[in-house]
Amino acid sequence: MGNLFCCVQVDQSTVAIKETFGKFDEVLQPGCHCLPWCLGRQIAGHLTLRLQQLDVRCETKTKDNVFVNVVASIQYCAIADKANEAFYKLSNTRNQIQAYVFDVIRASVPKLLLDDVFEQKTEIAKAVENELEKAMSAYGYQIVQTLITDIEPDEHVKRAMNEINAAARMRVAANEKAEAEKILQIKRAEGEAEAKYLSGLGIARQRQAIVDGLRDSVLGFSVNVPGTTAKDVMDMVLVTQYFDTMKEIGASSKSSAVFIPHGPGAVRDVAAQIRDGLLQGSAAH
């Protein structure tokens, strides 16, 4: 109906390419236009000015011979002032952009190791954008943004990378566990050494107290009971201690057996040993 009345409508964010007898005439902006078809004027086609996105999936190989799929998202739009160039110079804009993306990615990624590809994806996107900007501006298109949205290695490679990462973390955990056990053993050894040292001090003080007590008892008994010698008092004290010890062993509820020499000779030997210790303690004082 619009062609019948020589009127055409151009929608918003769209331009129309006007031709006269098959030759480009002008670019029609959004709105209503009079187009007398009888004079050879017609609409050759429409061109959208909206922002468009093209996702390109490119398979390539890294420097360490790992095949990866790199997905690049290209956001582009036609330049309004160059609408005629965008309409006439390219027959398939998306294929043209895809070819340039393939070329740049397959020239950049093989120079990098797999780990570097993940780290330098921004630089790869920038290289693709710069190359597309130079190439597509001549055809009336503007590259707004280029993003590397995904880098996907082969499934076996991803599994191997995860295993390497897990092994590294387990090695760190094992080192930390071993270091903790080492610290515990050191602290335990220090505690045992300190306990033995203090136990030795306690035993030494106990023996010193026994010697001092026996000496005081012998001296006091000799003074209060005239005619007794230190040897007599010591023998009597040792016999008393001896029988007290036997009594405690017999009253013990434990089932362990203790074999000790029994007889006057045994008491005499014990007395001689303690007397020698008493004399050595007195000499030390």
Side-chain angles (χ1 to χ4, degrees), residues 49-202:
L49 301 179
R50 294 178 180 178
L51 182 67
Q52 302 180 69
Q53 178 169 312
L54 172 64
D55 293 331
V56 181
R57 188 180 188 87
C58 176
E59 184 180 19
T60 185
K61 185 180 72 170
T62 63
K63 188 176 180 179
D64 46 352
N65 297 322
V66 177
F67 282 90
V68 294
N69 287 312
V70 180
V71 180
S73 295
I74 314 300
Q75 298 175 354
Y76 67 97
C77 64
I79 303 174
D81 297 338
K82 297 182 178 181
N84 59 327
E85 297 178 359
F87 183 81
Y88 286 106
K89 286 189 176 182
L90 288 179
S91 60
N92 194 322
T93 305
R94 300 175 74 86
N95 286 347
Q96 183 77 6
I97 293 176
Q98 186 176 11
Y100 279 109
V101 173
F102 281 169
D103 180 67
V104 176
I105 290 180
R106 287 175 177 169
S108 302
V109 174
K111 299 178 182 178
L112 303 172
L113 299 175
L114 180 60
D115 293 338
D116 296 334
V117 173
F118 285 94
E119 295 176 0
Q120 300 184 23
K121 68 174 186 176
T122 303
E123 287 76 6
I124 298 174
K126 194 65 178 178
V128 173
E129 183 177 344
N130 292 338
E131 186 66 24
L132 284 176
E133 186 67 31
K134 291 189 297 181
M136 299 305 294
S137 60
Y139 299 109
Y141 282 92
Q142 175 187 2
I143 304 300
V144 179
Q145 185 74 24
T146 301
L147 302 172
I148 301 298
T149 57
D150 192 15
I151 300 173
E152 184 178 355
D154 184 79
E155 187 64 30
H156 297 290
V157 176
K158 291 199 301 184
R159 189 180 301 113
M161 293 174 65
N162 290 334
E163 290 177 356
I164 292 173
N165 189 17
R169 293 181 181 274
M170 290 178 64
R171 184 168 61 251
V172 173
N175 290 336
E176 294 294 334
K177 183 178 180 181
E179 189 67 24
E181 292 179 354
K182 175 183 175 183
I183 294 174
L184 288 176
Q185 291 179 0
I186 292 174
K187 294 299 183 182
R188 189 180 298 114
E190 291 177 352
E192 291 177 357
E194 184 69 20
K196 290 179 179 178
Y197 172 74
L198 295 176
S199 177
L201 289 180

